[in-house]
Amino acid sequence: MRRKDREMSAEFGLSVIDKAQFGVLSLVNMENEVYSLPLSIARDGDRLYFHSATAGLKTELLEDGKKVTVVFVSDVRVPDLLDEQTLDQIVQEGQDLGTLGSKVFTTEYASAIVSGRVTRLRDDQEKLDGLRIISEKFVPAKMAYFEAAASASLDITDVYQIEIESVTAKRKKFDQQGQEMKFQRME
């Protein structure tokens, strides 16, 4: 990682995965080109779960044991660190805005990159367990209806698991005083 000052722990990366609304899975296709797709992914321990239809390019590419990478991003926000009055004053005084660019034109974020191997779940109970993990993350208020819905669609749904082999995480965040929180600083 080039920006070691923004590197975060693997545990932080797992929390990014849990907060992220989607992850972008990337793998190599049959033409040896990178193929990426956004997915609703949920985590349970050191495993990620997502579902799919039982046919299509995605299912053709997701061979058991295939190496994949998944990128997650959460906590995206454009901070307002300098008000217009301060910026106007800086410009009027002829000060160099270049050094302030990283505080004016920037984005806060947290990100995690997972590497691992994918497996299609074949056992009906494993598929139901994976779907339950996904549903509990994305539609927790509707879990009373889970069994009926999952049972009705189990035959036309593939469920995949990614065994996490590595997690790297990175963050850009500013404190209340407008200073970037580097080297895993949390407060």
Side-chain angles (χ1 to χ4, degrees), residues 126-163:
E126 287 181 336
K127 288 173 66 174
L128 281 170
D129 292 344
L131 288 171
R132 183 175 286 106
I133 291 164
I134 296 164
S135 297
E136 286 173 344
K137 176 177 180 177
F138 293 102
V139 287
K142 305 288 188 202
M143 290 308 291
Y145 309 100
F146 172 78
E147 293 296 330
S151 296
S153 63
L154 198 59
D155 290 340
I156 59 168
T157 304
D158 277 344
V159 180
Y160 293 89
Q161 171 185 289
I162 299 171
E163 190 77 32

PDB file of all heavy atoms in Angstrom, residues 126-163:
ATOM      1  N   GLU A 126     -26.857 -25.331   3.271  1.00  0.00           N
ATOM      2  CA  GLU A 126     -25.799 -24.315   3.154  1.00  0.00           C
ATOM      3  C   GLU A 126     -26.294 -23.113   2.353  1.00  0.00           C
ATOM      4  O   GLU A 126     -25.994 -21.964   2.686  1.00  0.00           O
ATOM      5  CB  GLU A 126     -24.553 -24.908   2.489  1.00  0.00           C
ATOM      6  CG  GLU A 126     -23.770 -25.858   3.369  1.00  0.00           C
ATOM      7  CD  GLU A 126     -22.532 -26.387   2.672  1.00  0.00           C
ATOM      8  OE1 GLU A 126     -22.485 -26.412   1.417  1.00  0.00           O
ATOM      9  OE2 GLU A 126     -21.597 -26.765   3.391  1.00  0.00           O
ATOM     10  N   LYS A 127     -27.050 -23.369   1.286  1.00  0.00           N
ATOM     11  CA  LYS A 127     -27.610 -22.281   0.486  1.00  0.00           C
ATOM     12  C   LYS A 127     -28.564 -21.440   1.327  1.00  0.00           C
ATOM     13  O   LYS A 127     -28.500 -20.210   1.305  1.00  0.00           O
ATOM     14  CB  LYS A 127     -28.337 -22.828  -0.749  1.00  0.00           C
ATOM     15  CG  LYS A 127     -27.416 -23.369  -1.820  1.00  0.00           C
ATOM     16  CD  LYS A 127     -28.168 -24.063  -2.947  1.00  0.00           C
ATOM     17  CE  LYS A 127     -29.025 -23.144  -3.753  1.00  0.00           C
ATOM     18  NZ  LYS A 127     -29.635 -23.800  -4.938  1.00  0.00           N
ATOM     19  N   LEU A 128     -29.433 -22.097   2.090  1.00  0.00           N
ATOM     20  CA  LEU A 128     -30.363 -21.363   2.967  1.00  0.00           C
ATOM     21  C   LEU A 128     -29.616 -20.550   4.007  1.00  0.00           C
ATOM     22  O   LEU A 128     -29.970 -19.397   4.281  1.00  0.00           O
ATOM     23  CB  LEU A 128     -31.326 -22.334   3.654  1.00  0.00           C
ATOM     24  CG  LEU A 128     -32.486 -22.833   2.815  1.00  0.00           C
ATOM     25  CD1 LEU A 128     -33.218 -23.967   3.535  1.00  0.00           C
ATOM     26  CD2 LEU A 128     -33.433 -21.709   2.469  1.00  0.00           C
ATOM     27  N   ASP A 129     -28.568 -21.132   4.584  1.00  0.00           N
ATOM     28  CA  ASP A 129     -27.775 -20.399   5.576  1.00  0.00           C
ATOM     29  C   ASP A 129     -27.138 -19.161   4.953  1.00  0.00           C
ATOM     30  O   ASP A 129     -27.141 -18.077   5.547  1.00  0.00           O
ATOM     31  CB  ASP A 129     -26.696 -21.304   6.177  1.00  0.00           C
ATOM     32  CG  ASP A 129     -27.268 -22.421   7.052  1.00  0.00           C
ATOM     33  OD1 ASP A 129     -28.453 -22.341   7.445  1.00  0.00           O
ATOM     34  OD2 ASP A 129     -26.506 -23.383   7.328  1.00  0.00           O
ATOM     35  N   GLY A 130     -26.602 -19.294   3.730  1.00  0.00           N
ATOM     36  CA  GLY A 130     -26.007 -18.151   3.037  1.00  0.00           C
ATOM     37  C   GLY A 130     -27.038 -17.085   2.723  1.00  0.00           C
ATOM     38  O   GLY A 130     -26.799 -15.884   2.929  1.00  0.00           O
ATOM     39  N   LEU A 131     -28.190 -17.501   2.238  1.00  0.00           N
ATOM     40  CA  LEU A 131     -29.262 -16.537   1.952  1.00  0.00           C
ATOM     41  C   LEU A 131     -29.743 -15.845   3.221  1.00  0.00           C
ATOM     42  O   LEU A 131     -30.060 -14.653   3.203  1.00  0.00           O
ATOM     43  CB  LEU A 131     -30.435 -17.235   1.261  1.00  0.00           C
ATOM     44  CG  LEU A 131     -30.207 -17.661  -0.184  1.00  0.00           C
ATOM     45  CD1 LEU A 131     -31.361 -18.530  -0.674  1.00  0.00           C
ATOM     46  CD2 LEU A 131     -30.001 -16.457  -1.083  1.00  0.00           C
ATOM     47  N   ARG A 132     -29.777 -16.570   4.329  1.00  0.00           N
ATOM     48  CA  ARG A 132     -30.190 -15.975   5.604  1.00  0.00           C
ATOM     49  C   ARG A 132     -29.193 -14.876   6.023  1.00  0.00           C
ATOM     50  O   ARG A 132     -29.598 -13.788   6.445  1.00  0.00           O
ATOM     51  CB  ARG A 132     -30.283 -17.047   6.694  1.00  0.00           C
ATOM     52  CG  ARG A 132     -30.791 -16.488   8.022  1.00  0.00           C
ATOM     53  CD  ARG A 132     -30.999 -17.578   9.077  1.00  0.00           C
ATOM     54  NE  ARG A 132     -32.204 -18.344   8.744  1.00  0.00           N
ATOM     55  CZ  ARG A 132     -32.213 -19.586   8.241  1.00  0.00           C
ATOM     56  NH1 ARG A 132     -31.081 -20.223   8.029  1.00  0.00           N
ATOM     57  NH2 ARG A 132     -33.350 -20.191   7.959  1.00  0.00           N
ATOM     58  N   ILE A 133     -27.917 -15.153   5.876  1.00  0.00           N
ATOM     59  CA  ILE A 133     -26.883 -14.165   6.230  1.00  0.00           C
ATOM     60  C   ILE A 133     -27.050 -12.909   5.376  1.00  0.00           C
ATOM     61  O   ILE A 133     -26.999 -11.784   5.886  1.00  0.00           O
ATOM     62  CB  ILE A 133     -25.477 -14.789   6.068  1.00  0.00           C
ATOM     63  CG1 ILE A 133     -25.266 -15.854   7.146  1.00  0.00           C
ATOM     64  CG2 ILE A 133     -24.389 -13.719   6.120  1.00  0.00           C
ATOM     65  CD1 ILE A 133     -24.105 -16.800   6.878  1.00  0.00           C
ATOM     66  N   ILE A 134     -27.280 -13.095   4.082  1.00  0.00           N
ATOM     67  CA  ILE A 134     -27.483 -11.948   3.184  1.00  0.00           C
ATOM     68  C   ILE A 134     -28.746 -11.186   3.583  1.00  0.00           C
ATOM     69  O   ILE A 134     -28.736  -9.951   3.697  1.00  0.00           O
ATOM     70  CB  ILE A 134     -27.584 -12.433   1.717  1.00  0.00           C
ATOM     71  CG1 ILE A 134     -26.275 -13.076   1.270  1.00  0.00           C
ATOM     72  CG2 ILE A 134     -27.961 -11.266   0.795  1.00  0.00           C
ATOM     73  CD1 ILE A 134     -26.394 -13.906  -0.007  1.00  0.00           C
ATOM     74  N   SER A 135     -29.829 -11.902   3.807  1.00  0.00           N
ATOM     75  CA  SER A 135     -31.111 -11.267   4.131  1.00  0.00           C
ATOM     76  C   SER A 135     -31.070 -10.537   5.461  1.00  0.00           C
ATOM     77  O   SER A 135     -31.653  -9.456   5.606  1.00  0.00           O
ATOM     78  CB  SER A 135     -32.226 -12.320   4.141  1.00  0.00           C
ATOM     79  OG  SER A 135     -32.372 -12.877   2.854  1.00  0.00           O
ATOM     80  N   GLU A 136     -30.380 -11.102   6.439  1.00  0.00           N
ATOM     81  CA  GLU A 136     -30.278 -10.441   7.754  1.00  0.00           C
ATOM     82  C   GLU A 136     -29.535  -9.110   7.647  1.00  0.00           C
ATOM     83  O   GLU A 136     -29.828  -8.182   8.385  1.00  0.00           O
ATOM     84  CB  GLU A 136     -29.598 -11.360   8.758  1.00  0.00           C
ATOM     85  CG  GLU A 136     -30.506 -12.484   9.220  1.00  0.00           C
ATOM     86  CD  GLU A 136     -29.818 -13.519  10.092  1.00  0.00           C
ATOM     87  OE1 GLU A 136     -28.563 -13.572  10.122  1.00  0.00           O
ATOM     88  OE2 GLU A 136     -30.547 -14.309  10.730  1.00  0.00           O
ATOM     89  N   LYS A 137     -28.611  -9.010   6.707  1.00  0.00           N
ATOM     90  CA  LYS A 137     -27.893  -7.741   6.521  1.00  0.00           C
ATOM     91  C   LYS A 137     -28.766  -6.709   5.809  1.00  0.00           C
ATOM     92  O   LYS A 137     -28.822  -5.554   6.226  1.00  0.00           O
ATOM     93  CB  LYS A 137     -26.605  -7.953   5.719  1.00  0.00           C
ATOM     94  CG  LYS A 137     -25.879  -6.632   5.428  1.00  0.00           C
ATOM     95  CD  LYS A 137     -24.582  -6.820   4.700  1.00  0.00           C
ATOM     96  CE  LYS A 137     -23.920  -5.463   4.435  1.00  0.00           C
ATOM     97  NZ  LYS A 137     -22.622  -5.595   3.778  1.00  0.00           N
ATOM     98  N   PHE A 138     -29.448  -7.133   4.740  1.00  0.00           N
ATOM     99  CA  PHE A 138     -30.108  -6.175   3.874  1.00  0.00           C
ATOM    100  C   PHE A 138     -31.601  -5.966   4.149  1.00  0.00           C
ATOM    101  O   PHE A 138     -32.125  -4.900   3.828  1.00  0.00           O
ATOM    102  CB  PHE A 138     -29.884  -6.547   2.408  1.00  0.00           C
ATOM    103  CG  PHE A 138     -28.448  -6.399   1.993  1.00  0.00           C
ATOM    104  CD1 PHE A 138     -27.622  -7.495   1.887  1.00  0.00           C
ATOM    105  CD2 PHE A 138     -27.912  -5.148   1.737  1.00  0.00           C
ATOM    106  CE1 PHE A 138     -26.287  -7.362   1.528  1.00  0.00           C
ATOM    107  CE2 PHE A 138     -26.590  -4.988   1.364  1.00  0.00           C
ATOM    108  CZ  PHE A 138     -25.771  -6.101   1.270  1.00  0.00           C
ATOM    109  N   VAL A 139     -32.276  -6.955   4.695  1.00  0.00           N
ATOM    110  CA  VAL A 139     -33.712  -6.809   4.980  1.00  0.00           C
ATOM    111  C   VAL A 139     -34.067  -7.416   6.342  1.00  0.00           C
ATOM    112  O   VAL A 139     -34.930  -8.286   6.445  1.00  0.00           O
ATOM    113  CB  VAL A 139     -34.592  -7.423   3.862  1.00  0.00           C
ATOM    114  CG1 VAL A 139     -34.578  -6.567   2.616  1.00  0.00           C
ATOM    115  CG2 VAL A 139     -34.168  -8.849   3.552  1.00  0.00           C
ATOM    116  N   PRO A 140     -33.411  -6.968   7.407  1.00  0.00           N
ATOM    117  CA  PRO A 140     -33.635  -7.590   8.720  1.00  0.00           C
ATOM    118  C   PRO A 140     -35.084  -7.495   9.204  1.00  0.00           C
ATOM    119  O   PRO A 140     -35.551  -8.387   9.913  1.00  0.00           O
ATOM    120  CB  PRO A 140     -32.683  -6.827   9.642  1.00  0.00           C
ATOM    121  CG  PRO A 140     -32.421  -5.531   8.955  1.00  0.00           C
ATOM    122  CD  PRO A 140     -32.486  -5.836   7.486  1.00  0.00           C
ATOM    123  N   ALA A 141     -35.796  -6.464   8.816  1.00  0.00           N
ATOM    124  CA  ALA A 141     -37.180  -6.297   9.275  1.00  0.00           C
ATOM    125  C   ALA A 141     -38.146  -7.288   8.618  1.00  0.00           C
ATOM    126  O   ALA A 141     -39.273  -7.440   9.079  1.00  0.00           O
ATOM    127  CB  ALA A 141     -37.652  -4.867   9.006  1.00  0.00           C
ATOM    128  N   LYS A 142     -37.708  -7.970   7.571  1.00  0.00           N
ATOM    129  CA  LYS A 142     -38.586  -8.895   6.840  1.00  0.00           C
ATOM    130  C   LYS A 142     -38.247 -10.362   7.101  1.00  0.00           C
ATOM    131  O   LYS A 142     -38.745 -11.255   6.409  1.00  0.00           O
ATOM    132  CB  LYS A 142     -38.490  -8.640   5.330  1.00  0.00           C
ATOM    133  CG  LYS A 142     -38.765  -7.211   4.926  1.00  0.00           C
ATOM    134  CD  LYS A 142     -40.217  -6.861   5.051  1.00  0.00           C
ATOM    135  CE  LYS A 142     -40.430  -5.491   4.441  1.00  0.00           C
ATOM    136  NZ  LYS A 142     -41.578  -4.837   4.894  1.00  0.00           N
ATOM    137  N   MET A 143     -37.437 -10.649   8.104  1.00  0.00           N
ATOM    138  CA  MET A 143     -36.986 -12.025   8.322  1.00  0.00           C
ATOM    139  C   MET A 143     -38.120 -12.985   8.683  1.00  0.00           C
ATOM    140  O   MET A 143     -37.984 -14.192   8.499  1.00  0.00           O
ATOM    141  CB  MET A 143     -35.879 -12.064   9.372  1.00  0.00           C
ATOM    142  CG  MET A 143     -34.560 -11.452   8.892  1.00  0.00           C
ATOM    143  SD  MET A 143     -33.962 -12.103   7.310  1.00  0.00           S
ATOM    144  CE  MET A 143     -33.531 -13.776   7.776  1.00  0.00           C
ATOM    145  N   ALA A 144     -39.255 -12.497   9.136  1.00  0.00           N
ATOM    146  CA  ALA A 144     -40.395 -13.369   9.422  1.00  0.00           C
ATOM    147  C   ALA A 144     -40.871 -14.079   8.149  1.00  0.00           C
ATOM    148  O   ALA A 144     -41.487 -15.148   8.224  1.00  0.00           O
ATOM    149  CB  ALA A 144     -41.537 -12.563  10.037  1.00  0.00           C
ATOM    150  N   TYR A 145     -40.555 -13.521   6.978  1.00  0.00           N
ATOM    151  CA  TYR A 145     -40.991 -14.076   5.706  1.00  0.00           C
ATOM    152  C   TYR A 145     -39.873 -14.841   4.985  1.00  0.00           C
ATOM    153  O   TYR A 145     -40.069 -15.345   3.885  1.00  0.00           O
ATOM    154  CB  TYR A 145     -41.503 -12.955   4.790  1.00  0.00           C
ATOM    155  CG  TYR A 145     -42.524 -12.095   5.483  1.00  0.00           C
ATOM    156  CD1 TYR A 145     -42.161 -10.866   6.028  1.00  0.00           C
ATOM    157  CD2 TYR A 145     -43.833 -12.531   5.634  1.00  0.00           C
ATOM    158  CE1 TYR A 145     -43.098 -10.084   6.687  1.00  0.00           C
ATOM    159  CE2 TYR A 145     -44.778 -11.755   6.297  1.00  0.00           C
ATOM    160  CZ  TYR A 145     -44.399 -10.535   6.824  1.00  0.00           C
ATOM    161  OH  TYR A 145     -45.315  -9.763   7.482  1.00  0.00           O
ATOM    162  N   PHE A 146     -38.729 -14.922   5.619  1.00  0.00           N
ATOM    163  CA  PHE A 146     -37.556 -15.499   4.962  1.00  0.00           C
ATOM    164  C   PHE A 146     -37.770 -16.939   4.509  1.00  0.00           C
ATOM    165  O   PHE A 146     -37.511 -17.279   3.360  1.00  0.00           O
ATOM    166  CB  PHE A 146     -36.319 -15.421   5.869  1.00  0.00           C
ATOM    167  CG  PHE A 146     -35.149 -16.167   5.315  1.00  0.00           C
ATOM    168  CD1 PHE A 146     -34.396 -15.609   4.299  1.00  0.00           C
ATOM    169  CD2 PHE A 146     -34.833 -17.443   5.760  1.00  0.00           C
ATOM    170  CE1 PHE A 146     -33.323 -16.306   3.745  1.00  0.00           C
ATOM    171  CE2 PHE A 146     -33.776 -18.142   5.222  1.00  0.00           C
ATOM    172  CZ  PHE A 146     -33.010 -17.570   4.212  1.00  0.00           C
ATOM    173  N   GLU A 147     -38.209 -17.800   5.406  1.00  0.00           N
ATOM    174  CA  GLU A 147     -38.337 -19.226   5.090  1.00  0.00           C
ATOM    175  C   GLU A 147     -39.224 -19.454   3.865  1.00  0.00           C
ATOM    176  O   GLU A 147     -38.856 -20.200   2.958  1.00  0.00           O
ATOM    177  CB  GLU A 147     -38.874 -20.010   6.286  1.00  0.00           C
ATOM    178  CG  GLU A 147     -37.925 -20.080   7.467  1.00  0.00           C
ATOM    179  CD  GLU A 147     -36.631 -20.823   7.197  1.00  0.00           C
ATOM    180  OE1 GLU A 147     -36.623 -21.744   6.358  1.00  0.00           O
ATOM    181  OE2 GLU A 147     -35.612 -20.458   7.817  1.00  0.00           O
ATOM    182  N   ALA A 148     -40.361 -18.813   3.824  1.00  0.00           N
ATOM    183  CA  ALA A 148     -41.286 -19.006   2.701  1.00  0.00           C
ATOM    184  C   ALA A 148     -40.676 -18.516   1.390  1.00  0.00           C
ATOM    185  O   ALA A 148     -40.750 -19.202   0.364  1.00  0.00           O
ATOM    186  CB  ALA A 148     -42.603 -18.287   2.975  1.00  0.00           C
ATOM    187  N   ALA A 149     -40.057 -17.348   1.425  1.00  0.00           N
ATOM    188  CA  ALA A 149     -39.474 -16.788   0.202  1.00  0.00           C
ATOM    189  C   ALA A 149     -38.267 -17.604  -0.256  1.00  0.00           C
ATOM    190  O   ALA A 149     -38.138 -17.927  -1.446  1.00  0.00           O
ATOM    191  CB  ALA A 149     -39.078 -15.336   0.429  1.00  0.00           C
ATOM    192  N   ALA A 150     -37.386 -17.947   0.671  1.00  0.00           N
ATOM    193  CA  ALA A 150     -36.175 -18.683   0.305  1.00  0.00           C
ATOM    194  C   ALA A 150     -36.512 -20.076  -0.209  1.00  0.00           C
ATOM    195  O   ALA A 150     -35.947 -20.537  -1.208  1.00  0.00           O
ATOM    196  CB  ALA A 150     -35.230 -18.755   1.499  1.00  0.00           C
ATOM    197  N   SER A 151     -37.436 -20.747   0.430  1.00  0.00           N
ATOM    198  CA  SER A 151     -37.820 -22.096   0.001  1.00  0.00           C
ATOM    199  C   SER A 151     -38.419 -22.083  -1.402  1.00  0.00           C
ATOM    200  O   SER A 151     -38.150 -22.979  -2.204  1.00  0.00           O
ATOM    201  CB  SER A 151     -38.827 -22.694   0.979  1.00  0.00           C
ATOM    202  OG  SER A 151     -38.231 -22.846   2.248  1.00  0.00           O
ATOM    203  N   ALA A 152     -39.209 -21.070  -1.711  1.00  0.00           N
ATOM    204  CA  ALA A 152     -39.851 -20.976  -3.020  1.00  0.00           C
ATOM    205  C   ALA A 152     -38.859 -20.710  -4.143  1.00  0.00           C
ATOM    206  O   ALA A 152     -39.107 -21.081  -5.292  1.00  0.00           O
ATOM    207  CB  ALA A 152     -40.915 -19.883  -2.993  1.00  0.00           C
ATOM    208  N   SER A 153     -37.725 -20.072  -3.836  1.00  0.00           N
ATOM    209  CA  SER A 153     -36.778 -19.703  -4.894  1.00  0.00           C
ATOM    210  C   SER A 153     -35.456 -20.468  -4.830  1.00  0.00           C
ATOM    211  O   SER A 153     -34.556 -20.194  -5.623  1.00  0.00           O
ATOM    212  CB  SER A 153     -36.508 -18.201  -4.837  1.00  0.00           C
ATOM    213  OG  SER A 153     -35.890 -17.870  -3.610  1.00  0.00           O
ATOM    214  N   LEU A 154     -35.333 -21.400  -3.944  1.00  0.00           N
ATOM    215  CA  LEU A 154     -34.056 -22.093  -3.744  1.00  0.00           C
ATOM    216  C   LEU A 154     -33.574 -22.800  -5.012  1.00  0.00           C
ATOM    217  O   LEU A 154     -32.375 -22.784  -5.320  1.00  0.00           O
ATOM    218  CB  LEU A 154     -34.163 -23.081  -2.579  1.00  0.00           C
ATOM    219  CG  LEU A 154     -32.848 -23.547  -1.983  1.00  0.00           C
ATOM    220  CD1 LEU A 154     -32.046 -22.357  -1.460  1.00  0.00           C
ATOM    221  CD2 LEU A 154     -33.095 -24.552  -0.869  1.00  0.00           C
ATOM    222  N   ASP A 155     -34.478 -23.396  -5.768  1.00  0.00           N
ATOM    223  CA  ASP A 155     -34.083 -24.141  -6.971  1.00  0.00           C
ATOM    224  C   ASP A 155     -33.612 -23.247  -8.109  1.00  0.00           C
ATOM    225  O   ASP A 155     -32.906 -23.726  -9.006  1.00  0.00           O
ATOM    226  CB  ASP A 155     -35.253 -25.003  -7.469  1.00  0.00           C
ATOM    227  CG  ASP A 155     -35.547 -26.157  -6.533  1.00  0.00           C
ATOM    228  OD1 ASP A 155     -34.663 -26.527  -5.725  1.00  0.00           O
ATOM    229  OD2 ASP A 155     -36.669 -26.688  -6.597  1.00  0.00           O
ATOM    230  N   ILE A 156     -33.986 -21.983  -8.088  1.00  0.00           N
ATOM    231  CA  ILE A 156     -33.579 -21.075  -9.175  1.00  0.00           C
ATOM    232  C   ILE A 156     -32.543 -20.053  -8.711  1.00  0.00           C
ATOM    233  O   ILE A 156     -32.294 -19.063  -9.388  1.00  0.00           O
ATOM    234  CB  ILE A 156     -34.807 -20.344  -9.772  1.00  0.00           C
ATOM    235  CG1 ILE A 156     -35.537 -19.540  -8.700  1.00  0.00           C
ATOM    236  CG2 ILE A 156     -35.738 -21.336 -10.453  1.00  0.00           C
ATOM    237  CD1 ILE A 156     -36.570 -18.585  -9.251  1.00  0.00           C
ATOM    238  N   THR A 157     -31.937 -20.332  -7.556  1.00  0.00           N
ATOM    239  CA  THR A 157     -30.955 -19.410  -6.978  1.00  0.00           C
ATOM    240  C   THR A 157     -29.659 -20.148  -6.679  1.00  0.00           C
ATOM    241  O   THR A 157     -29.670 -21.219  -6.075  1.00  0.00           O
ATOM    242  CB  THR A 157     -31.495 -18.805  -5.663  1.00  0.00           C
ATOM    243  OG1 THR A 157     -32.748 -18.176  -5.925  1.00  0.00           O
ATOM    244  CG2 THR A 157     -30.528 -17.787  -5.092  1.00  0.00           C
ATOM    245  N   ASP A 158     -28.548 -19.567  -7.122  1.00  0.00           N
ATOM    246  CA  ASP A 158     -27.228 -20.045  -6.705  1.00  0.00           C
ATOM    247  C   ASP A 158     -26.759 -19.164  -5.571  1.00  0.00           C
ATOM    248  O   ASP A 158     -27.020 -17.949  -5.559  1.00  0.00           O
ATOM    249  CB  ASP A 158     -26.220 -19.964  -7.855  1.00  0.00           C
ATOM    250  CG  ASP A 158     -26.299 -21.168  -8.795  1.00  0.00           C
ATOM    251  OD1 ASP A 158     -26.907 -22.190  -8.414  1.00  0.00           O
ATOM    252  OD2 ASP A 158     -25.740 -21.081  -9.901  1.00  0.00           O
ATOM    253  N   VAL A 159     -26.056 -19.756  -4.633  1.00  0.00           N
ATOM    254  CA  VAL A 159     -25.467 -19.019  -3.523  1.00  0.00           C
ATOM    255  C   VAL A 159     -23.973 -19.333  -3.524  1.00  0.00           C
ATOM    256  O   VAL A 159     -23.575 -20.497  -3.643  1.00  0.00           O
ATOM    257  CB  VAL A 159     -26.104 -19.407  -2.169  1.00  0.00           C
ATOM    258  CG1 VAL A 159     -25.454 -18.620  -1.034  1.00  0.00           C
ATOM    259  CG2 VAL A 159     -27.608 -19.163  -2.209  1.00  0.00           C
ATOM    260  N   TYR A 160     -23.175 -18.281  -3.390  1.00  0.00           N
ATOM    261  CA  TYR A 160     -21.726 -18.418  -3.435  1.00  0.00           C
ATOM    262  C   TYR A 160     -21.119 -17.965  -2.113  1.00  0.00           C
ATOM    263  O   TYR A 160     -21.648 -17.080  -1.440  1.00  0.00           O
ATOM    264  CB  TYR A 160     -21.137 -17.568  -4.569  1.00  0.00           C
ATOM    265  CG  TYR A 160     -21.526 -18.065  -5.930  1.00  0.00           C
ATOM    266  CD1 TYR A 160     -22.694 -17.627  -6.545  1.00  0.00           C
ATOM    267  CD2 TYR A 160     -20.725 -18.985  -6.604  1.00  0.00           C
ATOM    268  CE1 TYR A 160     -23.054 -18.084  -7.799  1.00  0.00           C
ATOM    269  CE2 TYR A 160     -21.089 -19.445  -7.871  1.00  0.00           C
ATOM    270  CZ  TYR A 160     -22.251 -18.992  -8.452  1.00  0.00           C
ATOM    271  OH  TYR A 160     -22.610 -19.443  -9.691  1.00  0.00           O
ATOM    272  N   GLN A 161     -19.987 -18.574  -1.828  1.00  0.00           N
ATOM    273  CA  GLN A 161     -19.220 -18.227  -0.628  1.00  0.00           C
ATOM    274  C   GLN A 161     -17.799 -17.888  -1.068  1.00  0.00           C
ATOM    275  O   GLN A 161     -17.234 -18.575  -1.927  1.00  0.00           O
ATOM    276  CB  GLN A 161     -19.206 -19.440   0.297  1.00  0.00           C
ATOM    277  CG  GLN A 161     -18.282 -19.335   1.468  1.00  0.00           C
ATOM    278  CD  GLN A 161     -18.279 -20.661   2.226  1.00  0.00           C
ATOM    279  OE1 GLN A 161     -19.262 -20.991   2.864  1.00  0.00           O
ATOM    280  NE2 GLN A 161     -17.197 -21.405   2.132  1.00  0.00           N
ATOM    281  N   ILE A 162     -17.265 -16.841  -0.498  1.00  0.00           N
ATOM    282  CA  ILE A 162     -15.856 -16.499  -0.719  1.00  0.00           C
ATOM    283  C   ILE A 162     -15.140 -16.675   0.604  1.00  0.00           C
ATOM    284  O   ILE A 162     -15.510 -16.049   1.604  1.00  0.00           O
ATOM    285  CB  ILE A 162     -15.686 -15.053  -1.225  1.00  0.00           C
ATOM    286  CG1 ILE A 162     -16.392 -14.858  -2.562  1.00  0.00           C
ATOM    287  CG2 ILE A 162     -14.198 -14.698  -1.322  1.00  0.00           C
ATOM    288  CD1 ILE A 162     -16.457 -13.410  -3.023  1.00  0.00           C
ATOM    289  N   GLU A 163     -14.149 -17.522   0.602  1.00  0.00           N
ATOM    290  CA  GLU A 163     -13.308 -17.716   1.782  1.00  0.00           C
ATOM    291  C   GLU A 163     -12.272 -16.591   1.764  1.00  0.00           C
ATOM    292  O   GLU A 163     -11.461 -16.496   0.836  1.00  0.00           O
ATOM    293  CB  GLU A 163     -12.626 -19.081   1.716  1.00  0.00           C
ATOM    294  CG  GLU A 163     -11.928 -19.491   2.967  1.00  0.00           C
ATOM    295  CD  GLU A 163     -12.890 -19.976   4.049  1.00  0.00           C
ATOM    296  OE1 GLU A 163     -13.941 -20.563   3.720  1.00  0.00           O
ATOM    297  OE2 GLU A 163     -12.572 -19.747   5.220  1.00  0.00           O
TER     298      GLU A 163
END
